[in-house]
């Protein structure tokens, strides 16, 4: 299993099915945050974080228990963000992280931009939360668990679901 830093994702020559341990800063964003991000992007308004080479994790952490820095933080179904993802990839996002297959439009945008789709194990939110070493609220606090947060992760176990060349674990 290869260890990789978020800033290396676009240049790592990752292949579908490859297992990796991801470290660095990633951003949580779910449905409501995607609506806000793409509206700001379309209107030319400032964005709450730089999209260039960012990794977006489709997760909404549960409330933080005492003594922890974050609650359970598992992936949500990625296809719910498919309508928004091509625009974000074209704006510079290097990777998305979630669970389940993606649309043909997302796969085409990945090939066009060199982005990858990484899969996290669904139902393992408590385990994945152990990989988080720091959390910071970034934007849209009114969205509650769907607010955008910057998570610093260390050795987050992921699988390359769809690579930048179009290879996919979903079509084997």
């Amino acid at each position: 299993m290869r260890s990789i830093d978020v800033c290396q994702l676009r240049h790592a020559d990752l292949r579908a099915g490859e297992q990796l341990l991801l470290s660095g800063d990633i951003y949580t964003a779910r449905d409501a945050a995607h609506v806000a991000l793409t509206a700001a992007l379309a209107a030319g308004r400032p964005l709450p974080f730089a999209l260039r080479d960012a990794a977006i994790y489709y997760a909404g952490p549960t409330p933080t228990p005492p003594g922890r820095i974050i609650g359970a933080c598992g992936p949500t179904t990625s296809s719910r963000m498919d309508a928004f993802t091509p625009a974000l990839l074209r704006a510079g996002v290097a990777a998305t992280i979630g669970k389940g297959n993606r649309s043909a439009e997302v796969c085409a945008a990945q090939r066009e931009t060199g982005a990858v789709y990484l899969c996290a194990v669904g139902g393992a939110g408590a385990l994945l939360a152990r990989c988080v070493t720091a959390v910071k609220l970034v934007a849209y606090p009114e969205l509650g668990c769907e607010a955008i947060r910057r998570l610093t992760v260390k050795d987050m176990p992921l699988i390359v679901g769809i690579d930048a060349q179009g290879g996919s674990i979903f079509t084997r």
Side-chain angles (χ1 to χ4, degrees):
M1 194 173 313
R2 179 163 45 151
S3 293
I4 191 165
D5 192 87
V6 172
C7 64
Q8 299 170 319
L9 283 170
R10 193 174 300 280
H11 308 288
D13 193 32
L14 299 170
R15 296 290 181 217
E18 183 176 353
Q19 298 176 6
L20 56 94
L21 297 171
L22 186 66
S23 297
D25 290 337
I26 62 177
Y27 295 88
T28 64
R30 285 181 44 169
D31 311 350
H34 275 72
V35 170
L37 281 173
T38 55
L41 189 61
R45 293 192 310 266
L47 297 171
F49 66 96
L51 296 181
R52 171 68 45 213
D53 294 329
I56 296 179
Y57 182 29
Y58 303 142
T62 64
T64 304
R68 304 272 184 165
I69 62 170
I70 196 168
C73 194
T76 196
T77 303
S78 301
S79 61
R80 294 193 345 234
M81 273 52 75
D82 281 1
F84 310 103
T85 302
L88 296 174
L89 296 177
R90 290 180 183 113
V93 170
T96 55
I97 305 167
K99 68 179 182 181
N101 202 356
R102 305 309 299 264
S103 69
E105 293 78 17
V106 170
C107 294
Q110 282 186 222
R111 287 189 304 275
E112 174 189 325
T113 63
V116 296
Y117 171 53
L118 306 173
C119 294
V121 175
L127 175 64
L128 291 167
R130 293 181 184 172
C131 300
V132 178
T133 62
V135 179
K136 181 180 181 193
L137 179 65
V138 172
Y140 316 127
E142 68 277 9
L143 299 179
C145 74
E146 290 200 34
I148 295 177
R149 291 170 174 79
R150 183 180 66 227
L151 307 182
T152 303
V153 297
K154 174 75 174 147
D155 294 336
M156 183 180 196
L158 301 168
I159 298 168
V160 179
I162 304 170
D163 62 38
Q165 293 74 36
S168 173
I169 63 171
F170 301 101
T171 57
R172 291 183 180 189

